Every structure is written in C-alpha cells, then in structure tokens.
DNA sequence: CGGGTCGTTGACCGTGATCAAGTAACGTGG
DNA sequence: CCACGTTACTTGATCACGGTCAACGACCCG
C-alpha cells in the first residue's frame, strides 16, 4: 500500500474514488542520492512530491551563507503544498540521505478540488496543520533555550515517525548531521554537540552514530512544554462523504 | 464594499455566486476593545473571523510567562484558517486597539468547499501563503540580527497595508507597544527601543508616538533581504471559472 | 493626588557564537 | 597500499549580542 494513502487514511475513511485520485499522484518515481538538491529556492515549481523513501528537508539560504532548515520530511509526506501560492519555490529542497520521490504536476490538484471535496478538505487541513507546526517551530526558535529546543525537536521527530510506524520504540535513526540539526534549531553545530552532551549527562537521551534514544520522554516533554500535533486532527466539519 | 471581497478580488475575479458566499461570512458583527482577548489558546474554536476594523495579533504564551506574537492582522484578513485542523485553538487572539470582527461558524466553509472550487482554491492559497509568511518570520527570528529583524517587520507591515490601501505612503500608524513589537521580533522592549534608535541614527526611519515613517526603503530592503509576499499569487492552476 | 503602564536610559551579565586546533573516517588517485 | 583531501565530530578559549535589572519620567485614568 502506498504510504501516502496509509498516512491519510489515518485521519479519514477514503472512498475508492479518493484512493484512485491519490494513487495517480504516485504514478511516477524518481531517485535522489544523499545530499542532492531536488529543487532550489526561486526555481519555478513544476512538481509537487510524495515522499516514498528517505528523509529530506526544506531550507532557506541567507545572503551571508547561513541557512535555516524549515521542515524535515519523512516518507508519506506531501511536499510543495506550501509553495503552490507562488510561481517560484520559497525554499530549497534537499535529500539528507538516498530517497525516492513521486513527482506530480501541480495541475493534478485540479481533479481533486473539483471531484473530491472531502479529500480537498483533508489536504487543506494537512496544509494548515503544517502551519501549526511552523508556529511551534517559531516558538521553539524564538523563545526557548538550546536545551529546550533540542528536546522539542527530538520529540517532534519521534512523534511524527510514530504516526506511520506504530512499532516505533524510543529510538530512531536521524540522518541529519550536527550542523544540519544546528541549522534546524538555529544553533551552531558546535553548540548542538554541547547541548546533546548536557542532555546525556542528565540521562535524558543517548546519541551515538546518528542513533537517538530517548531515555525519559516525560522529562523531555516537561522541559519544552511539548504538545503532540500529529495523531489527531479535526475532521468533524468536513463535507459529508 | 466589504474589505474581504476587496482583498480577495485583488487576486482573482469573483463571480456573483462567490461574492454571495463571501458576504454570508460577514453577516454578523462584533466589537472588541483595545487589549481585549478574543479567544485564548486551548479554547474550543467555534468561529472564524473576518477583520472589519482595527489590528489584532495571534500569540503563544510560554509556561514561564514569555510570549511570542505569531501573526499581526489587519482589516480584510480571515482569522482562524490556521486553526481549523484542530478542535482547539493553538494561539490566543488579542485586539491591539478597538476592533470590529465578523464571526462565522467554521461549518460555513462547507458551502464553499462543495459549491465553489475556485474560491476553495483561493482560500487554500491564502492559507498556504500565510505559511510562506511564517517561514519568512522563522528565518527572521532565527537567523537575523535585531536590526535586520526590525527592518523586516516594518517592510512586511507596510507592504501588507499597501495591498488594500493603495494610497499608502511611506508612513503608517502602528498600534503595537514596544513590548509587543519585542514579542513579535523575539526581542525585549528595551532592545527594540535601542534598535529603533540605531536605525534612526542612520536616517533609515523615524518613529514617534506610534507613527512609523520609512525614510529609505531600498536601504531597509537591502539590510534584511526583503521579498514581498502579498501583491501577487499564482492562480494559474486554479480550476476554471 | 495616587497608582499603572509605557517609554527611556545605563550598568552589568549570560547564552550561545566564533575561532582554532586536532582527530577520525572516508573516498580518491598515484 | 599509501598519500592526500575532504568532511564530520570534538574540545577549549574567548567574545558579543541582546537580556536582565533597576531607576526615573511622562502620561493616563480614577
């Protein structure tokens, strides 16, 4: 089963027609290797993508060479919804390991908007949920200490992985380098290291060779006032189906 | 003419049916006074709002008493699209001066999703445009200096005001206090003051009694690598209408 | 006239950046 | 198989941006 359908049917019952429309989005496949740029900011957007395998991230470059990672993507995510308001992409998209994407032209959304109001509402909701997550990220970066931010990011990542991967335990592989984690958290790679070390001192987590193990989730949640945004959404107002 | 219709028809031609659906959203009116809370985070969401008059802002409180202002709203804005994925509001909404809002229940969106795919696409696009703006804000707060952030915020505000207010010059009244500006920029009120002073020293702007005048917009744009997000959006992929 | 909030200014401080040097792992070409 | 370059991780010394704290004045409202 496609991981897009798997992820979406977590939220609503999909009709056969809905599934057919969604399957059409995953007709093509394309591979990208680790660290490869999928598209860069200010490039014209031809395609949206469904992630089939691997992690990627969106980021913005600043003129002085620094960058901010805006969103980390996992299999089953729909990429590019956030860019369809504009002709050109606002962020660059890069694979952080070998990935497989399913590109589809943005005009394919037409068929969904016209024929499947229920699915439209779901896509709308997902797009808008991403916004809530950006708000969390803004709060994190603007108002929290390095320690709190680190806790927040790790909890966010694991709770997203749990949505599609219900056998997920307390440990996962994170293919981002320390510098990339820093670009996500608005810290330097150096300080990410020191922060992780401090959390390890307190027996809250373990980090080794890209494997992260959360040793005390309740304590981590308390540190950063975490609230989970992925397991449930409100579908009660959706058009009947 | 309603400022919602004014704002939206800036982007697409609206049919009579579309206008009728939109007008229904502005059927009711409600006043709030300066500094009044419209709804708070974690409250159940009953209504979305169209802003008829005055400025408001969304913010998040942190357990330790700090807060982050997430978005500043002007007349014509639709509030709450970002919250419809959840049963409860993620942010609090507060009036920063006397305002008039038009509340409508979120189920009213149904009618639009089912009957007006073109308008749906527009709302979708607006919701998603807000996301691009959040990304800008994230970039600003995470990676820019106080001076750059200040420049960015002021350019953002004036370019939004210009969308509906084409006779806007280089000066506008900003009803936010220095502390509120600080909560927006992730700075303290004290440092906002010092930053504004520094910009005044360089003859880039003037600030007096809440009136802001931008003296050298090109220079300000250069400081913060500003890109305008409000004047145009991509409507080419919209369903025909 | 008293109390509140906001703006203003100055002294001092702390988090996280910057810089620098060193190590380990990897792929490359000779 | 080794020399080389590259990249990531590691660690420590020092620095600076912006926060914190405190005090005062202006203004508003009761």
């Amino acid at each position: 089963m496609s991981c897009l359908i798997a992820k979406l049917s977590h939220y609503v019952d999909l009709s056969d027609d809905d599934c057919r429309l969604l399957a059409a989005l995953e007709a093509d496949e394309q591979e990208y290797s680790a660290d490869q740029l999928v598209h860069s900011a200010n490039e014209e957007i031809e395609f949206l993508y469904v992630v089939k395998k691997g992690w990627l991230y969106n980021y913005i470059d600043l003129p002085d060479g620094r960058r901010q990672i805006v969103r980390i993507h996992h299999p089953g995510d729909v990429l590019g919804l956030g860019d369809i308001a504009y002709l050109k992409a606002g962020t660059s998209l890069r694979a952080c390991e070998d990935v497989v994407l399913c590109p589809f032209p943005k005009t394919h959304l037409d068929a969904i908007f016209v024929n499947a109001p229920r699915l439209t509402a779901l896509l709308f909701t997902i797009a808008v949920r991403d916004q809530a997550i950006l708000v969390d990220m803004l709060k994190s970066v603007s108002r929290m200490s390095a320690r709190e931010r680190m806790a927040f990011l790790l909890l966010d990542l694991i709770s997203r992985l749990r949505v599609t991967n219900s056998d997920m335990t307390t440990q996962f592989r994170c293919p981002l380098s320390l510098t990339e984690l820093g670009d996500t958290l608005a810290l330097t790679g150096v300080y990410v290291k020191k922060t992780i070390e401090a959390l390890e001192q307190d027996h809250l987590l373990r980090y080794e060779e890209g494997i992260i193990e959360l040793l005390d989730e309740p304590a981590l949640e308390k540190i950063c006032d975490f609230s989970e945004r992925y397991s449930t959404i409100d579908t009660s107002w959706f058009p009947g189906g």
Side-chain angles (χ1 to χ4, degrees), chain A residues 21 24-28 48 103-113:
Chain A
L21 284 164
L25 302 184
E26 291 184 272
D28 287 338
L48 293 102
F104 63 93
K106 68 193 216 177
T107 46
H108 278 203
L109 288 178
D110 270 24
I112 292 176
F113 277 78

Side-chain angles (χ1 to χ4, degrees), chain A residues 147 199-200 202-205 213-216 219-220 223:
Chain A
R147 180 189 181 81
L199 290 166
E200 284 180 319
D202 299 345
H203 308 287
L204 297 172
L205 58 86
E213 180 174 5
L214 306 185
L215 298 176
D216 190 346
L220 288 168
I223 283 179

Side-chain angles (χ1 to χ4, degrees), chain A residues 142-201:
Chain A
S142 69
R143 294 302 184 187
M144 288 165 34
S145 69
R147 180 189 181 81
E148 294 166 326
R149 278 181 237 177
M150 192 75 231
F152 190 85
L153 176 63
L154 297 179
L155 289 169
D156 180 75
L157 288 175
I158 206 168
S159 68
R160 286 174 64 189
L161 293 170
R162 282 184 177 136
V163 170
T164 34
N165 215 338
S166 50
D167 58 342
M168 188 97 224
T169 58
T170 59
Q171 108 179 11
F172 63 100
R173 193 186 47 82
C174 174
L176 291 116
S177 70
L178 293 184
T179 307
E180 286 167 328
L181 289 172
D183 287 342
T184 310
L185 296 170
L187 299 170
T188 57
V190 173
Y191 207 71
V192 168
K193 169 66 166 53
K194 290 172 182 172
T195 305
I196 289 180
E197 241 167 19
L199 290 166
E200 284 180 319
Q201 289 294 326

Side-chain angles (χ1 to χ4, degrees), chain A residues 85-98:
Chain A
Y86 300 98
L87 290 167
K88 296 172 189 245
T91 58
S92 303
L93 178 62
R94 192 179 289 272
C96 51
E97 56 183 338
D98 294 346

Side-chain angles (χ1 to χ4, degrees), chain A residues 11 49 65 192 234:
Chain A
Y11 300 115
Y49 301 91
V192 168
D234 178 23

Side-chain angles (χ1 to χ4, degrees), chain A residues 55-85:
Chain A
W55 291 29
L56 305 91
Y57 55 83
N58 277 112
Y59 65 96
I60 325 173
D61 281 310
L62 278 87
D64 64 4
R66 312 181 80 180
R67 67 175 183 175
Q68 176 64 40
I69 292 180
V70 166
R71 190 100 171 90
I72 296 168
H73 303 284
H74 304 147
D77 287 351
V78 181
L79 312 188
L81 284 177
D83 277 326
I84 61 174

